[in-house]
Amino acid sequence: MTSVAVLGTGIMGAPMARNMAKAGLRVRVWNRTKEKARPLEADGAVVADSPAEAVEGADVIVTMLSDGDAVRAAMSAAVPGLRPGHVWAQMSTVGVAAVEGLAALAAEHGLTFVDAPVQGTRQPAEQGKLVVLAAGPQAARPALEPVFDAVGQRTLWLGEDGADGTASKLKLAAVSYAISLTAVVAEALALAKGLGLDPDLVRQVISGGPLDNVYFQGKAKAIMEGDFTPSFTVSNAEKDTRLITQAGESAGVRLDVAAAAGERFRRAESLGHGDEDMAATYFASFDKG
């Protein structure tokens, strides 16, 4: 039976750990705020007091934290429990620039580093239907297979060197689409509202046509009903737009839409919507600035 240490039990990490436990894996979890990890005990997970305690004896370490700095801090704290040969699946969205440093940290401690961010938000995480984007050596894949199968509907292997950031590069390209689309939906509904129309009229026009999709319907419904229960927060979306635009700049690619979406998320955050679903970018349209 594979033993997994999950560092980070937030919106994504908690359901991922829960699905691992349900799949029969031995799961030990750690979260900076311990009480947020406590509910996982009902699913059979063991809540550790520290990253070092969580990783001790694990076959696979999974990090699912907010950014590269948080990942590095957690893994640095885990050092007393690490052993050479541990497989580390870094599944957070940390961007391209951070991957090299995290891979170097893994090498320093004899860990097998796998760059494995996931595509999807809270609902796919709860359903075990994420898409795992992974790059890492063949030798690590047997240990990772039951872990990835527990959290995802499929795994897309992109190479054998996690340090080159291939998986994180693809994650940024894919999440750029989702983030930009969210801003587009929010702006369309906000424009209708500002012009004195019922925003639902926009939904009626789009529904059933070539521009209709499940994502549009979900975000439009959230905005019109004022339900901003987070699937992916404004703050996380803002962080990702910075990673996306930084990656574009390093590659000589202009990403005007992602940059504009980032400005909207920053305005929404300043208005107090940082912990709400990123559909709350809607409110950025009514900030007089």
Side-chain angles (χ1 to χ4, degrees):
M1 184 186 297
T2 301
S3 176
V4 188
V6 179
L7 305 184
T9 59
I11 289 176
M12 298 292 288
M16 289 169 65
R18 184 171 291 113
N19 285 329
M20 291 176 204
K22 287 180 178 178
L25 306 181
R26 290 197 303 268
V27 180
R28 189 175 294 175
V29 300
W30 169 84
N31 195 66
R32 185 177 60 181
T33 304
K34 189 175 181 179
E35 291 308 309
K36 290 186 177 180
R38 287 289 187 198
L40 291 167
E41 292 178 328
D43 300 288
V46 175
V47 179
D49 290 323
S50 68
E53 181 184 328
V55 304
E56 189 169 359
D59 300 305
V60 175
I61 300 167
V62 168
T63 45
M64 180 51 73
L65 294 152
S66 58
D67 55 31
D69 289 342
V71 172
R72 173 174 285 278
M75 288 301 288
S76 295
V79 166
L82 297 177
R83 58 172 171 78
H86 265 144
V87 176
W88 173 16
Q90 201 309 103
M91 304 186 78
S92 322
T93 302
V94 299
V96 178
V99 171
E100 183 178 353
L102 296 176
L105 178 64
E108 179 183 346
H109 297 286
L111 312 181
T112 300
F113 181 77
V114 179
D115 183 28
V118 295
Q119 179 65 17
T121 54
R122 186 187 64 186
Q123 290 87 346
E126 291 173 344
Q127 298 162 1
K129 293 185 178 180
L130 297 166
V131 177
V132 182
L133 313 176
Q138 289 280 350
R141 299 183 190 185
L144 289 169
E145 184 175 355
V147 178
F148 290 171
D149 286 350
V151 304
Q153 59 181 328
R154 61 191 174 100
T155 299
L156 182 59
W157 283 101
L158 300 163
E160 295 197 30
D161 185 5
D164 69 7
T166 302
S168 284
K169 292 172 185 176
L170 181 57
K171 171 59 191 286
L172 292 184
V175 77
S176 177
Y177 170 75
I179 284 174
S180 298
L181 185 56
T182 303
V184 168
V185 174
E187 280 198 349
L189 298 184
L191 179 59
K193 177 74 171 179
L195 294 173
L197 302 173
D198 180 353
D200 188 58
L201 291 171
V202 176
R203 185 195 60 80
Q204 293 178 41
V205 170
I206 299 296
S207 294
L211 299 179
D212 194 12
N213 57 66
V214 173
Y215 194 85
F216 165 79
Q217 293 291 344
K219 293 306 181 188
K221 182 174 185 289
I223 291 169
M224 289 185 295
E225 294 182 356
D227 181 4
F228 298 101
T229 303
S231 179
F232 189 72
T233 67
V234 165
S235 293
N236 276 331
E238 190 280 325
K239 178 263 296 184
D240 281 2
T241 59
R242 284 186 280 114
L243 296 176
I244 291 162
T245 54
Q246 288 165 10
E249 288 169 2
S250 70
V253 178
R254 292 187 58 167
L255 300 173
D256 301 322
V257 175
E263 289 299 324
R264 291 183 58 85
F265 289 124
R266 281 185 280 280
R267 289 203 304 276
E269 196 169 29
S270 72
L271 292 169
H273 301 285
D275 292 332
E276 296 177 350
D277 187 77
M278 64 176 171
T281 183
Y282 173 79
F283 297 108
S285 291
F286 304 101
D287 177 25
K288 298 289 191 285

